[in-house]
Amino acid sequence: MSSPYKKNFRIAALKQRVEIDLKHGEKTCKVLERAIYEIYNCNASGLSFEELYRSVYNMVLQKYGEKLYNGLVATLIWNVKEMLRSFKVAQNDLFLVELNRKWDNHNKSLQIIRDIFMYMDRTFIPNARKTSVHDVGLILWNDIVLHSYKIHKRLVTILLDLIQKERTGQVINRNLMRNMTKMLIDLGSSVYQEDFEKPFLEASASFYSCESQQLIECCHCGEYLKKVEKRLHEEIERVSHYLDEKTEPKIMYVVGNEMIASSMQRLVHMESSGLLNMIMGDRYDDMSRMYGLFRLVPEGISTISDVLNAHLQQIGKQIVTDPEKLRDPVNFVQCLLNVKDKHDKIISSVFNNDKTLRNALNSSFEYFINLNNRSAEFISLYVDDKLRKGLIGASEEDMEITLDQVMMQFRFLQENDVFEKYYRQHFAKRLLSGKSKTVSDDAERSLIVKFKTECGYQFTSKLEAMITDMKTSEDTMQGFYASQVSSDATNNLSVQVLTAGCWPIQPIAPCKLPFEILGMCDSFRNYYLGTRTGRRLTWQTNFGTADLKANFEKNQKHELNVSTYQMCILMLFNASDQLTCKEIEQATEIPTSDLKRCLQSLACVRGKNVLNKNPMSKDIAEEDAFMVNDKFSSKFFKVRIGTVAARKESESEKQETRQRVEEDRKPQIESSIVRIMKSTRVLDHNNVVAEVTKQLQSRFLPNPVVIKKRIESLIDREFLERDPADRKLYRYLA
Amino acid sequence: MAKGSDRVRFNVGGKIFETTTTTLANAGRDSMLGALLDENWNLNAGDGAAAEYFIDRNPACFSVLLDLLRSGELHLPPHLPDKLLYREALFYGLLDHVRAARWGPFDGDRLRLSSSIYGRAPSDATAIRASPDGGCCVAHGRVVHIYDWMLDEHRPINLDYQQVNDAGYVDSGHIVVTVSERPGHTIGGMGLFSSSSGELRHRFRVYHDSKAKTFTAGALCFSDSQFKIFASCKGRSNEYGIGVWDQNTGDQSDFFYEPPGCPFGEADELQWIKGDNFLMVATIFPRIEKCFIGILDFREKNMVWSWTDDGRMTTASLDEKRVLHAIVMENNRSICVVNQYEDLGFLDLRSNRGGGVRWSSRSKLLKRKVRGEETCYPKLVMKSGQLFSSMNDTISVFSGPDWVLTSTLRSSVGGSIHDFSIGGDRLFALHSEENVFDMWESPTLPIL
């Protein structure tokens, strides 16, 4: 415990000390104030750093932090105001120079002052939660100098004027510009954005809007784009030289918006220089420029894609509806491929493989390929052509490319099942017409593998079964000849055993075979059924070929390569000299239409007319008479007599194929409905239709009417029932 | 100045020092000596090598600090008080240099007791927390005492003089304190204080249905990557759960209401799981009869994992192993728990409700001591691959993949350890019997 006396003494002493210190404090403040004045007037070298630093230290130590801080702020304000006065009067050209010089000075002084007040910055300021010395300096500069109304307005106007000058081709002092923008950035990003960037972007917008209007009147599209590109480069360069890098996307946007977005439609559709013109003229440079610029604006790519789409659909439609082209399926497909190739190249080399544009290309292809419902058939015919002869001598790589192109087209088809039908038919013909008719087994197999990866096992199982049949037949034939003890040297039989159901063959009644062949056939039948049980063989006489040796006048010997039907017809003439069409039909039981076609090819084709016809007309009537053309001659020993084949399907056949396709679709639709209903139990009509469409769209687009019919059929067969309360609802029964 | 030389001559308080500008540059631009080098002050101008630069300060301390700048090491002569050196270092702006050189990087196996600090608060201490820069705060009853890294005591802080439940450093300058609710007030039990001035900077509020409600805040934890503060909260009208606040704005950003049977509002331990961005919540005996541990996902607002020893405790014999503390291991794969015999146990986080605790059988090797009345519950802390566990008057350090006991820390005074905390490369241990806490440091690295 201290005594009362001592206590009193202490209090008195304390009071006295405060008084002395106060005076001393005032004095120190004056010294510092003076020092700051000297610093602003660039006389710092005469001062002692240690002394000043120690003064600040002492002031803070003696709890005069608050006073010191306020004094500092007041002194700074006075000095900044003093500076303001000196360059307010500076003339236009000198204004920026002067402002820059003062700002430099302020910055330097601030650094020195900050060093002196370092101790206060470190101890007093964080505890008292004040703004640090450096920040105070910047805030004061911003508030007092920049936001004195006239200075601010003058600064912005001058800066924008200079930029405008530079845009019109004059040279400006970029260094000074950089210093000024750096000052604004240093004062805080909001100062830069509000005080400079915003007016700058506005001024730029009006400048470029003007320029855009002028240019579009006098330039064609390519030229205009070139100019815009140049402007953009200029702006990027400007940003890198004296603006904040964050301004770059903003100014790019402004230029894009004013020069591209606003006149985009006009540019694209510009007559004789727009995008269409570029595509047709293969002007890759212009297109790539357009893509680069349009990409910058929001609707740019979709504008290009719209034009591309419209263009593609137009030329596509032209191709698929051109009756001239419809006559030649191979050419038809080749044309499509050419169009696709050309635009693929454009997209990959010019449009940077843009996804949107590629989708546009694909969707327009899908659109117009499916516009013609014979596309599936034509594509299959194209493959057929390629595999029969088009690829002879082609390297493996070329073959792969062709096959990939085929696959690409196949993907666009909505009705994959129709394609499958045709493909199977053509494939069967290729297989049956003998080895020589198809380029290579490898190509066939490779294509089947591709289909398999694209559409799954289901799609190709039959095709694979067909190949297997061919193989087994070979083995069977070897076995057959090995078992045959007395081999018949004159006639040679080769049989292909085809599994029913796998081949696109309608069972038809076989024609009457000549007795010479019949014996062979029977022995094969006996052999085949003898080695296997539970099989049934039917002869498909509408397929197959035969080689006949024929003698004509002047000792002309020829080997005729003919179809089975043709063989049957020709063999008749061994017995009689002249036969009418009707007689032939009765003798062979060949269906009328096929018979007519065979007779046509035997009698009416120049250079291959082994038969003579009376009367000599192209069309075949029932009463027309035929006889052997003894005067037949040919350069070749072997003569191949083709069938006047309707390579392309006739109208009625087309109908038939359609019908078969529709028939095949029914069980698929039904099973899909049942699958859906089984999992959901109850569903309304619209949803059933939507789900079925979704499930089947990889194979074909089911018709809602057909779906409805299938549902009704399922209701009849008591797979489903209608909800008694809501007729639109179906319930699954099981 | 001599040609080609960067020598500088100082006269500090009458004593001459010679050094080079290179050495002075080590002080950094943000120090007095660094600023001195600035060309504005033409330190070297004028009268050649003989010129001295006068500084009116203590020469003995300058000598030590100059040596620090030269070598990066701090060597105090025995007669020089710490505080004097700190003061001088503050003048030159070299305090951070001194702190960095004062003690070595943290290593649980190289800890030395560096001092014991006696407190003055009469009531029982509840918690001790280390600050990131080596200071600490001690929650004593209704106030929190704050010590900076120089172990200078600052003004104690309080929140309406309510019972302090937990405290924690957001950063070295700011402390969050959680307290019990003050009856009759609508504002709740959590505040942010400046650690140097002790000022209340922010009061955290809890809103239920956009109405501010009074609450008792318990355990605290921080997520530095997401700038969030978590605290277990008990509201008056059964609003129990975990409150979440933003570290920058101080506003409530979320509230995880406890699901039935999961006593989060009273949690003893919260731990943010880095990387996985989950929060571990543990409520432990004796607050509740059973131990409950849950892992919460705040993005999905669900509990992704939980464990309780409910059911095992029904036949509560004294020998039963009881989980008394839990922490998530640094690999985020398991939770380490400890029982009253200081057995470590592990829970697998990868399998949900994956069976019981895998106890290590350490206690069988040790003699089970008969306990006095004053027992402290064990605590676990994980730090840089080492596991620290306090039991009675000892802290054990476990290392390696199998958690082998590698060191034991024990001080002679103060009795059993109530709480301990690691931060700023220091370990602080708070004793329960006497009003004292210990500070453990790793010495600076050996010279060779």
Side-chain angles (χ1 to χ4, degrees), chain A residues 416-428:
Chain A
N416 289 354
D417 57 340
V418 177
F419 176 82
E420 189 206 348
K421 276 267 138 48
Y422 283 115
Y423 186 77
R424 219 138 55 83
Q425 264 170 31
H426 297 143
F427 182 58

Side-chain angles (χ1 to χ4, degrees), chain A residues 235-247:
Chain A
E235 290 302 328
I236 291 170
E237 198 207 21
R238 188 184 331 286
V239 169
S240 75
H241 271 105
Y242 56 80
L243 297 180
D244 187 26
E245 56 181 18
K246 289 198 198 89
T247 309

Side-chain angles (χ1 to χ4, degrees), chain B residues 123-433:
Chain B
S123 61
D124 271 350
T126 34
I128 190 162
R129 295 285 176 263
S131 106
D133 71 348
C136 75
C137 66
V138 184
H140 267 295
R142 289 162 185 255
V143 294
V144 178
H145 295 274
I146 304 171
Y147 300 84
D148 59 30
W149 66 266
M150 297 170 269
L151 296 179
D152 273 339
E153 193 175 349
H154 289 242
R155 184 190 295 181
I157 55 179
N158 71 81
L159 195 63
D160 308 330
Y161 291 106
Q162 294 304 302
Q163 174 66 43
V164 177
N165 294 325
D166 200 356
Y169 284 89
V170 182
D171 53 55
S172 55
H174 297 94
I175 300 177
V176 177
V177 173
T178 62
V179 300
S180 299
E181 72 168 314
R182 185 180 179 196
H185 277 70
T186 51
I187 39 179
M190 200 165 139
L192 177 80
F193 295 85
S194 153
S195 62
S196 53
S197 66
E199 265 180 285
L200 175 63
R201 291 271 164 91
H202 181 74
R203 228 179 235 279
F204 297 94
R205 287 157 202 271
V206 167
Y207 291 90
H208 296 290
D209 301 326
S210 56
K211 263 187 215 141
K213 295 280 179 74
T214 174
F215 66 103
T216 291
L220 258 180
C221 98
F222 306 98
S223 116
D224 292 332
S225 51
Q226 309 213 326
F227 302 104
K228 291 273 184 341
I229 302 173
F230 301 88
S232 57
C233 298
K234 287 192 284 186
R236 186 69 68 74
S237 1
N238 279 330
E239 296 116 345
Y240 282 37
I242 308 290
V244 188
W245 294 267
D246 191 287
Q247 283 187 15
N248 296 320
T249 63
D251 294 334
Q252 183 186 345
S253 62
D254 205 351
F255 199 91
F256 194 111
Y257 291 95
E258 63 175 40
C262 309
F264 296 155
E266 297 177 287
D268 294 273
E269 180 77 24
L270 301 183
Q271 192 183 344
W272 180 249
I273 308 175
K274 269 183 226 155
D276 291 351
N277 292 347
F278 294 145
L279 185 77
M280 183 205 69
V281 182
T283 318
I284 302 165
F285 181 84
R287 202 177 299 271
I288 55 168
E289 265 305 307
K290 56 178 185 178
C291 167
F292 187 94
I293 304 173
I295 306 277
L296 308 183
D297 183 347
F298 276 81
R299 292 156 297 190
E300 303 283 323
K301 269 290 167 54
N302 62 358
M303 184 156 65
V304 294
W305 185 93
S306 69
W307 178 86
T308 174
D309 60 5
D310 191 18
R312 271 169 279 260
M313 284 291 117
T314 43
T315 56
S317 75
L318 271 178
D319 276 356
E320 199 67 50
K321 287 174 178 174
R322 203 182 255 292
V323 170
L324 291 176
H325 199 234
I327 55 162
V328 178
M329 303 300 277
E330 277 170 344
N331 60 12
N332 290 358
R333 292 214 194 108
S334 53
I335 287 182
C336 179
V337 295
V338 66
N339 67 6
Q340 68 270 40
Y341 308 120
E342 211 187 348
D343 293 322
L344 298 180
F346 295 93
L347 286 162
D348 197 339
L349 277 179
R350 284 164 298 183
S351 58
N352 200 9
R353 298 176 188 278
V357 183
R358 281 181 293 114
W359 290 106
S360 67
S361 49
R362 212 169 76 83
S363 62
K364 281 178 196 156
L365 308 172
L366 299 168
K367 205 169 59 183
R368 280 189 191 174
K369 279 185 247 167
V370 183
R371 257 151 248 300
E373 297 253 307
E374 282 287 311
T375 41
C376 285
Y377 294 105
K379 286 256 152 68
L380 293 168
V381 169
M382 183 95 197
K383 178 77 190 173
S384 359
Q386 288 177 316
L387 188 61
F388 297 78
S389 151
S390 72
M391 189 71 185
N392 297 328
D393 58 350
T394 309
I395 295 174
S396 311
V397 185
F398 302 92
S399 319
D402 300 323
W403 307 112
V404 185
L405 178 70
T406 48
S407 299
T408 347
L409 315 177
R410 184 181 293 148
S411 122
S412 51
V413 292
S416 55
I417 291 165
H418 184 81
D419 191 13
F420 72 102
S421 171
I422 300 171
D425 289 334
R426 278 170 161 172
L427 185 149
F428 294 93
L430 181 64
H431 296 278
S432 68
E433 282 161 32

Side-chain angles (χ1 to χ4, degrees), chain A residues 272-291:
Chain A
S272 77
S273 69
L275 179 57
L276 279 187
N277 199 274
M278 293 177 187
I279 294 175
M280 311 249 247
D282 286 330
R283 301 217 312 269
Y284 280 21
D285 276 358
D286 285 344
M287 279 190 275
S288 116
R289 193 169 292 124
M290 176 175 269
Y291 175 75

Side-chain angles (χ1 to χ4, degrees), chain A residues 344-554:
Chain A
D344 258 347
K345 203 170 149 209
I346 290 178
I347 286 179
S348 61
S349 61
V350 179
F351 294 148
N352 195 23
N353 254 330
D354 191 280
K355 270 223 174 90
T356 325
L357 295 181
R358 193 161 285 287
N359 288 344
L361 175 68
N362 289 346
S363 71
S364 36
F365 252 84
E366 197 173 327
Y367 164 76
F368 63 69
I369 279 196
N370 290 301
L371 216 56
N372 186 337
N373 59 9
R374 306 193 64 176
S375 295
E377 184 192 349
F378 285 1
I379 292 170
S380 176
L381 277 173
Y382 176 78
V383 183
D384 192 54
D385 177 70
K386 285 286 170 199
L387 289 173
R388 272 173 195 273
K389 53 192 178 191
L391 285 172
I392 289 173
S395 72
E396 210 156 291
E397 277 163 41
D398 288 347
M399 190 180 81
E400 275 300 305
I401 292 171
T402 314
L403 296 187
D404 281 335
Q405 282 175 338
V406 170
M407 286 312 294
M408 186 262 310
Q409 299 230 333
F410 168 73
R411 270 177 222 130
F412 291 133
L413 285 177
Q414 273 163 2
E415 297 182 306
N416 289 354
D417 57 340
V418 177
F419 176 82
E420 189 206 348
K421 276 267 138 48
Y422 283 115
Y423 186 77
R424 219 138 55 83
Q425 264 170 31
H426 297 143
F427 182 58
K429 274 187 194 153
R430 282 204 297 282
L431 287 180
L432 294 179
S433 55
K435 277 241 142 79
S436 61
K437 297 282 177 69
T438 163
V439 177
S440 76
D441 283 349
D442 288 346
E444 296 281 6
R445 268 175 229 280
S446 158
L447 195 57
I448 289 176
V449 169
K450 282 179 204 294
F451 283 129
K452 198 172 186 173
T453 42
E454 193 74 23
C455 302
Y457 167 76
Q458 200 190 2
F459 192 87
T460 56
S461 61
K462 284 183 179 169
L463 297 177
E464 280 167 346
M466 285 157 79
I467 289 188
T468 319
D469 273 352
M470 295 306 291
K471 265 226 166 115
T472 2
S473 298
E474 241 170 72
D475 299 343
T476 313
M477 283 323 290
Q478 270 175 14
F480 170 64
Y481 280 114
S483 71
Q484 234 43 23
V485 193
S486 61
S487 69
D488 195 334
T490 49
N491 293 329
N492 232 332
L493 184 70
S494 159
V495 181
Q496 269 121 24
V497 184
L498 313 179
T499 314
C502 287
W503 293 73
I505 290 170
Q506 301 299 314
I508 56 164
C511 69
K512 268 193 192 157
L513 291 170
F515 68 96
E516 292 96 330
I517 305 292
L518 224 45
M520 284 295 276
C521 291
D522 284 340
S523 57
F524 177 78
R525 182 193 295 270
N526 292 338
Y527 163 77
Y528 188 82
L529 296 179
T531 49
R532 290 160 184 79
T533 51
R535 302 283 175 104
R536 205 161 60 91
L537 280 182
T538 332
W539 296 105
Q540 290 284 348
T541 44
N542 50 342
F543 292 97
T545 57
D547 289 336
L548 296 179
K549 283 181 182 141
N551 296 319
F552 296 99
E553 257 181 18
K554 294 180 198 159

